[in-house]
């Protein structure tokens, strides 16, 4: 017995909106936040065709941002430092309840942001490296 179409649409809507919101939050951080915005739009477009018109422009910008984020060792180092800073801030906010908005919720969201930044940075680096290798052949 499968889930009904309305339930599937709600689940896809929730997943797409979460990806979109996390991507938007990552736009202010160093790293490829547009990739999560793109992922959110792709999830939403799978069930809501009206969203498809936004996918291609965001895809172009996201792929350009992914390439730019790993275009130089300085940018990679900056992104790695930002990720480490997010992880450290998450641990501090988790363990020091006297801080503004201190506690597990803020700490875990900062740690999750750092992990997402590292995952997207690795993906971007591999994608650019593979693309350069293909051009060299």
């Amino acid at each position: 017995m499968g889930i009904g179409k309305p339930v599937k649409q709600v689940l896809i809507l929730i997943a797409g909106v979460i990806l979109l919101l996390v991507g938007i939050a990552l736009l202010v951080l160093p790293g490829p936040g547009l990739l999560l915005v793109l992922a959110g739009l792709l999830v939403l477009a799978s069930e809501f065709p009206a969203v498809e018109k936004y996918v291609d422009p965001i895809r172009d910008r996201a792929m350009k941002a992914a390439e730019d984020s790993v275009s130089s060792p300085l940018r990679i180092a900056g992104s790695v430092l930002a990720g480490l800073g997010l992880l450290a801030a998450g641990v501090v906010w988790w363990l020091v309840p006297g801080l503004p908005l201190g506690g597990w919720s803020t700490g875990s969201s900062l740690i999750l942001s750092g992990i997402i930044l590292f995952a997207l940075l690795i993906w971007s680096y591999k994608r650019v490296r593979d693309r350069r290798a293909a051009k060299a052949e």
Side-chain angles (χ1 to χ4, degrees):
M1 179 181 222
I3 61 174
K5 185 170 174 79
V7 174
K8 181 182 174 189
Q9 283 184 328
V10 168
L11 291 175
I12 287 174
L13 178 67
I14 291 170
V17 168
I18 288 172
L19 285 170
L20 208 56
L21 290 176
V22 172
I24 290 169
L26 286 176
L27 288 175
V28 298
L29 302 171
L34 275 176
L35 292 173
L36 278 182
V37 172
L38 175 62
L41 288 175
L42 288 171
V43 168
L44 291 171
S46 71
E47 197 63 36
F48 305 101
V51 177
E52 287 182 25
K53 65 182 177 183
Y54 300 106
V55 171
D56 285 336
I58 297 297
R59 178 181 286 133
D60 295 341
R61 289 181 185 166
M63 293 307 128
K64 176 78 171 114
E67 290 176 12
D68 289 347
S69 70
V70 294
S71 64
S72 73
L74 187 59
R75 284 184 181 227
I76 294 171
S79 293
V80 168
L81 288 174
L84 291 173
L86 283 170
L87 293 175
V91 170
V92 169
W93 254 268
W94 192 321
L95 297 177
V96 181
L99 292 173
L101 302 173
W104 69 269
S105 60
T106 303
S108 60
S109 65
L110 288 168
I111 291 170
L112 180 61
S113 295
I115 292 169
I116 290 170
L117 188 145
F118 283 126
L120 292 174
L121 187 64
I122 290 167
W123 179 85
S124 298
Y125 181 78
K126 287 182 177 182
R127 185 176 189 282
V128 169
R129 185 190 63 199
D130 293 345
R131 196 179 241 187
R132 287 179 182 160
K135 284 183 181 179
E137 292 177 354

